[in-house]
Amino acid sequence: MRGSYANLLFPVKLTFELSYRIPPPLEGKVIRGSHVLAPFGNKVVTGLVTKVFDTPPDFQGLIKDITDIAGTGRVSEKEIAFIEWMAQYYMCTPGEVLKAAVGNSIDVTPPKRSNRKKETSKLVNETKNCIKTGRLTREQTYVLDCCRKNIKANIPTLIKGVTGSGKTEIYMELAKEQLSQGKSVLYMVPEIALSKQLTDRLTEHFGRHLLVFHSKMTPAARKKVRESIRNHQEPSIILGLRSSLFLPFDELGLIVVDEEHDNSYKQSDPAPRYNGRDAALMLARIHGAGIVLGSATPSLESIYNCHSGRFSLVELNHKYHSAGTTTTEVIDTIREGQKGSMEGLFSRRTLDAIGQRLQKNEQVLVFRNRRSYSPLVQCMYCGDIPYCNNCNVSLNYHKKRSILKCHYCEYAIRYNTICTKCGRPGLKERGCGTEMIEEQLRMFFPGSKVARFDAETTSSKVNEEKLLSDFAAGNTDILVGTQMISKGFDFGRLTLIVLVQADSMFSSDDFRASEKAMQLLVQLAGRSGRRDTRGHIIVQTARPDNQVYIDFLEGEDGMARELQERKEFGYPPFVRLVRISVKHPSKERVEGFCDIIARKLPEWGVIDFTGPVPPPVERVKREYILNFWVKLKRNTDSPTIKSTIFAGIESLVREAGRGVSVGFDPDPL
Ligand code: ADP
Ligand code: ZN
């Protein structure tokens, strides 16, 4: 379309669209999806054209001219549609989504090659030859057939399949079929499951057709992947994290979302606070592509979608290497303590079990969802607990580094036993983290190799890979780890898993706590005894009567009851939840602004909300926080009401915010 004006999008948060004049020489060349150079602030930068029009925009100031066209490449209608959908659904600006997609600046891609067709057909034949797969079992073949049918019928498939049942084999088979039709495949995994193990396995099958994409890659490497996809010189399978949704797909045939229940699909900060799984469903719809979700422990959201007929559910109930099922045991640490059967953090029964496995040259994994040596220290004379200067939270003790450290900000101080309040040498650790567990295991099993896998020890990708490959190769006997260790790894000789102080899985005031705890238990159980040995899992708890443990012992997942409870109390997936967080260093200012929001919400049509309420840690990085929890009916016109709330609050921030910042988190986890 010819026109004299254009709206441009830049990778920055702007709540209004920026209009520019198209100078006559460029008229007709600037279209929706073009990249252009234009003055922005005091620089000339690349922007994305979202609209071209004729009537002069309703703007008092000077309308600047577009400087030039930036490259002849074009962003597709589908990419723009995805950006616009995400901004609307996740309550942010399109500029913020663009920033999530391209970073701080748009790099302009070269034009498409014209000889694409020829190359594709040549490569497709190559693809067919270089990909090899094993023979599927009857159960796998059935599931594969269901997936194929659903892909044709545009119905999302949920594969509920125990760990080791061959979900990955099925994904690969489906991907192979897409590639041989000249279509690309997006294979999504959560943060941590992007392991060398999976990459190696896919490389073996897909060779150079495999492209890996994640945010830890260098900008140049990412650019290369982006260009290769935009040019679509050959169909590829892209293995990536949630950020790979923004790649410039052209012929996208299938999206696989593995471990779909995983929380690390959700971006917590900054906006857009999107869930990679849910956004993948929209991306598939935009492209008319198939989508397959898989998990041993599907999210309640996906189970609900199966019940309501939106998804098609298929199950894989047998492990491929048919090991016996994992046996489970719950140990009451209070009772053990009364009997004098606790040794440090472990019950004697647990220590015996570990010893037996080690003697047979098998491996043990010890899980604890707190890193550090201990989550807090306290003075035994005056009771004082050292807190962070910037956050309302106790400091964690890291023994090896001899520091007290905040897990919410960078604040850290040297540790010594002198209490700053009373001056006496009274500071003692309270509670245990992974570092203390590691220390005790070294003491109990001096001849064994103990390693630790948590955010601290895996801060570098190299260390992370080394810890994993050492454990996989059997060089490590006992691995102590946090949540990170529960996902996507296959360790042949791992036969025993121990959860220490398991109850902290429930300590948050989170309505999803039971769901998450059950998922974790089942995922951990799935990691043990994968090949020819039976696995065993021990849960050490002070609350053995917790329904989740009872269900787990009986081999139930309790999700039907959980779903019923969510329905009764009006929680997701039966309603849509939006968290609105207001922050500012001054508590009064946060409270004052929240008063205004509380008055406005009903005017905007919000009937059901709670707040303002402080989160469990009410001051983080020197800012006070108050939250609103807005409940929206699933069947109301939630796009409109979300846009109203977003626009309303953004304009309040400009008029009366006095510096407060507001974050929107739709479908919070
Ligand atoms: P999941 O993804 O469900 O955890 P995998 O696909 O990783 O399961 O399968 C578990 C193990 O079984 C892998 O080592 C895989 O190679 C093997 N496996 C599964 N199905 C087959 C098959 N049909 N032929 C050969 N090996 C298989
Ligand atoms: Zn802090």
Side-chain angles (χ1 to χ4, degrees):
M1 179 197 156
R2 287 181 88 82
S4 322
Y5 299 94
N7 281 350
L8 300 191
L9 194 59
F10 300 98
V12 288
K13 174 178 176 165
L14 273 184
T15 40
F16 46 90
E17 300 202 296
L18 279 183
S19 299
Y20 286 82
R21 200 179 73 96
I22 303 173
L26 296 183
E27 240 177 72
K29 290 183 190 154
V30 174
I31 48 176
R32 178 166 151 103
S34 328
H35 285 132
V36 295
L37 292 170
F40 181 78
N42 51 9
K43 278 193 284 191
V44 170
V45 296
T46 309
L48 168 64
V49 179
T50 55
K51 195 175 155 192
V52 175
F53 53 99
D54 270 321
T55 5
D58 183 18
F59 177 66
Q60 308 304 330
L62 173 74
I63 297 198
K64 293 177 186 160
D65 274 11
I66 286 175
T67 315
D68 204 352
I69 304 275
T72 45
R74 239 186 105 185
V75 174
S76 74
E77 197 52 49
K78 287 171 180 164
E79 284 170 77
I80 300 178
F82 185 61
I83 290 173
E84 290 177 341
W85 168 80
M86 184 170 279
Q88 190 280 314
Y89 187 88
Y90 287 104
M91 301 172 81
C92 63
T93 69
E96 286 172 293
V97 181
L98 187 63
K99 184 169 178 182
V102 302
N104 288 324
S105 66
I106 299 173
D107 54 57
V108 177
T109 48
K112 279 189 177 175
R113 302 207 177 171
S114 52
N115 55 348
R116 202 189 85 201
K117 269 247 142 27
K118 201 173 97 219
E119 282 189 36
T120 306
S121 56
K122 191 181 106 213
L123 282 154
V124 165
N125 287 331
E126 253 177 65
T127 318
K128 275 183 186 152
N129 299 335
C130 83
I131 295 166
K132 53 178 170 76
T133 34
R135 269 178 56 125
L136 299 185
T137 63
R138 283 240 312 267
E139 195 184 36
Q140 288 172 338
T141 309
Y142 173 76
V143 168
L144 178 69
D145 271 341
C146 291
C147 290
R148 282 187 186 128
K149 281 186 198 132
N150 291 335
I151 290 169
K152 275 215 182 83
N154 273 317
I155 301 168
T157 311
L158 172 66
I159 305 180
K160 181 178 184 207
V162 295
T163 307
S165 59
K167 294 185 292 298
T168 311
E169 294 290 322
I170 291 172
Y171 305 150
M172 290 194 296
E173 191 62 34
L174 291 168
K176 187 184 80 172
E177 290 170 9
Q178 293 295 330
L179 294 188
S180 66
Q181 291 166 36
K183 300 225 171 160
S184 288
V185 174
L186 173 59
Y187 189 131
M188 289 173 68
V189 289
E191 212 86 49
I192 192 62
L194 188 54
S195 62
K196 198 168 172 305
Q197 269 179 25
L198 179 62
T199 317
D200 287 351
R201 193 165 159 196
L202 292 176
T203 306
E204 194 190 317
H205 280 79
F206 296 100
R208 66 195 167 76
H209 293 274
L210 179 72
L211 300 174
V212 180
F213 187 85
H214 55 83
S215 39
K216 281 182 192 154
M217 286 161 53
T218 64
R222 267 181 288 157
K223 185 173 177 191
K224 208 172 149 210
V225 173
R226 220 177 272 135
E227 281 177 11
S228 149
I229 293 169
R230 198 185 288 284
N231 292 339
H232 198 81
Q233 285 153 2
E234 53 183 11
S236 33
I237 169 167
I238 297 106
L239 176 64
L241 309 178
R242 59 169 185 267
S243 59
S244 55
L245 288 165
F246 298 110
L247 287 167
F249 299 107
D250 181 9
E251 307 269 331
L252 185 63
L254 174 69
I255 305 179
V256 170
V257 185
D258 193 24
E259 310 285 2
E260 64 86 27
H261 66 281
D262 199 293
N263 287 348
S264 53
Y265 276 124
K266 173 82 175 177
Q267 170 145 320
S268 52
D269 253 330
R273 296 180 179 83
Y274 64 106
N275 186 315
R277 171 199 62 216
D278 300 334
L281 286 159
M282 179 48 74
L283 188 69
R285 194 185 296 170
I286 289 173
H287 282 268
I291 181 161
V292 174
L293 315 178
S295 174
T297 54
S299 61
L300 277 188
E301 269 71 15
S302 294
I303 293 173
Y304 172 86
N305 278 326
C306 292
H307 288 190
S308 70
R310 253 193 92 205
F311 293 2
S312 156
L313 174 69
V314 284
E315 296 192 28
L316 283 170
N317 293 313
H318 301 94
K319 288 192 180 225
Y320 182 78
H321 298 284
S322 55
T325 45
T326 302
T327 49
T328 52
E329 183 176 3
V330 171
I331 292 181
D332 180 345
T333 49
I334 303 276
R335 221 173 45 217
E336 293 292 290
Q338 286 160 351
K339 286 195 299 187
S341 305
M342 290 296 286
E343 305 237 15
L345 298 164
F346 297 91
S347 85
R348 218 165 265 149
R349 169 79 209 100
T350 306
L351 291 176
D352 286 347
I354 296 176
Q356 282 162 18
R357 299 287 169 167
L358 294 179
Q359 223 154 52
K360 286 197 270 179
N361 206 20
E362 293 170 8
Q363 289 171 300
V364 180
L365 193 130
V366 179
F367 173 86
R368 165 75 177 143
N369 67 351
R370 289 282 149 74
R371 64 195 163 97
S372 80
Y373 190 79
S374 64
L376 60 99
V377 291
Q378 185 169 28
C379 176
M380 56 183 182
Y381 301 111
C382 73
D384 187 56
I385 296 171
Y387 261 54
C388 176
N389 258 0
N390 312 319
C391 314
N392 191 9
V393 70
S394 65
L395 293 172
N396 293 262
Y397 173 37
H398 292 256
K399 188 173 181 179
K400 230 179 183 162
R401 291 153 70 196
S402 193
I403 53 169
L404 294 175
K405 189 178 180 317
C406 175
H407 284 181
Y408 286 78
C409 75
E410 297 302 308
Y411 186 80
I413 50 173
R414 287 255 131 240
Y415 172 77
N416 68 55
T417 55
I418 309 292
C419 171
T420 50
K421 190 117 177 260
C422 71
R424 281 175 286 182
L427 286 188
K428 267 196 88 63
E429 54 269 10
R430 298 284 299 271
C432 78
T434 44
E435 200 185 333
M436 185 188 286
I437 293 176
E438 180 193 14
E439 183 185 86
Q440 291 199 0
L441 286 167
R442 288 226 164 92
M443 190 181 74
F444 290 128
F445 304 101
S448 300
K449 290 221 177 66
V450 183
R452 174 159 57 95
F453 191 88
D454 58 24
E456 193 178 17
T457 61
T458 60
S459 58
S460 97
K461 193 94 194 141
V462 180
N463 283 351
E464 180 184 326
E465 294 293 358
K466 175 136 178 35
L467 282 166
L468 289 177
S469 61
D470 276 351
F471 196 62
N475 300 334
T476 308
D477 301 307
I478 308 177
L479 188 62
V480 184
T482 53
Q483 209 83 357
M484 306 173 80
I485 202 63
S486 67
K487 300 157 190 175
F489 308 112
D490 181 359
F491 302 122
R493 287 201 296 112
L494 172 62
T495 58
L496 174 64
I497 294 177
V498 179
L499 282 85
V500 176
Q501 296 192 0
D503 306 324
S504 56
M505 296 191 289
F506 301 98
S507 60
S508 63
D509 56 350
D510 176 6
F511 69 88
R512 292 182 207 268
S514 294
E515 179 190 1
K516 288 178 190 166
M518 181 56 83
Q519 285 166 343
L520 179 71
L521 287 170
V522 176
Q523 289 288 339
L524 283 173
R527 304 282 152 233
S528 73
R530 289 194 67 147
R531 293 281 152 92
D532 45 359
T533 35
R534 260 167 89 91
H536 188 58
I537 178 164
I538 295 177
V539 181
Q540 289 198 167
T541 167
R543 301 278 318 278
D545 56 339
N546 189 313
Q547 189 63 38
V548 170
Y549 301 141
I550 295 171
D551 286 339
F552 183 61
L553 269 177
E554 289 174 355
E556 306 271 335
D557 67 7
M559 288 302 150
R561 195 194 50 250
E562 183 68 22
L563 207 56
Q564 189 56 37
E565 280 177 15
R566 298 273 185 92
K567 189 174 184 181
E568 271 165 35
F569 295 104
Y571 277 110
F574 294 91
V575 298
R576 294 192 191 282
L577 212 54
V578 177
R579 183 178 56 214
I580 303 171
S581 299
V582 181
K583 297 183 191 175
H584 192 273
S586 149
K587 197 173 184 180
E588 288 72 44
R589 213 169 273 193
V590 175
E591 286 166 348
F593 193 71
C594 284
D595 285 344
I596 307 179
I597 296 182
R599 278 199 306 275
K600 285 283 180 186
L601 283 173
E603 286 178 30
W604 295 328
V606 177
I607 302 157
D608 194 354
F609 71 91
T610 48
V613 284
V617 179
E618 62 179 6
R619 183 170 172 259
V620 174
K621 297 180 183 168
R622 296 181 172 263
E623 289 192 309
Y624 286 90
I625 309 168
L626 283 176
N627 288 333
F628 285 93
W629 296 86
V630 171
K631 277 184 187 174
L632 302 174
K633 284 214 180 74
R634 278 189 83 101
N635 54 8
T636 49
D637 189 7
S638 70
T640 318
I641 199 164
K642 275 183 182 169
S643 301
T644 310
I645 298 171
F646 178 65
I649 290 182
E650 284 295 333
S651 83
L652 282 178
V653 169
R654 282 194 300 275
E655 289 156 18
R658 294 162 68 222
V660 300
S661 64
V662 179
F664 298 87
D665 188 0
D667 307 335
L669 286 183

